[in-house]
Amino acid sequence: MESKKIDLNQTVHTLCTQYPELIEILAAYGFRDITNPAMLMSAGRFMTIPKGAALKKLDLNEIIQILTEKGFSVTGQERIQ
């Protein structure tokens, strides 16, 4: 089985295009606007998961843990401080 890789430096739009199941995963954690296709096509084109987490005051480490539990390999967080 191929590993699903998420680079936190990529935009939400790019990641959700590559892995459509991310929409429901992220929406359940607090990114509710992601289910609106217009928001995904507009804000999602410049928003990253870390930027969105900061904006919504969500714990990025919890998001990474959830994604890991869902079978994703998460990279890029070492650049976020």
Side-chain angles (χ1 to χ4, degrees), residues 12-14 17 33-46:
V12 172
H13 178 269
T14 298
T17 299
D33 296 333
I34 200 170
T35 60
N36 179 340
M39 285 297 285
L40 185 59
M41 291 298 291
S42 59
R45 290 191 182 270
F46 66 85

Side-chain angles (χ1 to χ4, degrees), residues 43-58:
R45 290 191 182 270
F46 66 85
M47 188 69 60
T48 62
I49 292 174
K51 286 180 186 177
L55 182 70
K56 299 240 180 221
K57 296 182 173 52
L58 302 173

Side-chain angles (χ1 to χ4, degrees), residues 4-46:
K4 297 185 257 181
K5 297 179 183 177
I6 291 183
D7 180 349
L8 293 178
N9 299 308
Q10 291 184 331
T11 67
V12 172
H13 178 269
T14 298
L15 294 172
C16 288
T17 299
Q18 186 173 7
Y19 304 112
E21 65 268 32
L22 271 178
I23 295 172
E24 287 189 31
I25 294 168
L26 293 174
Y29 189 72
F31 288 84
R32 288 178 286 285
D33 296 333
I34 200 170
T35 60
N36 179 340
M39 285 297 285
L40 185 59
M41 291 298 291
S42 59
R45 290 191 182 270
F46 66 85

Side-chain angles (χ1 to χ4, degrees), residues 51-69:
K51 286 180 186 177
L55 182 70
K56 299 240 180 221
K57 296 182 173 52
L58 302 173
D59 186 339
L60 180 59
N61 290 322
E62 285 184 28
I63 296 169
I64 292 169
Q65 181 179 351
I66 289 166
L67 293 173
T68 302
E69 290 170 1

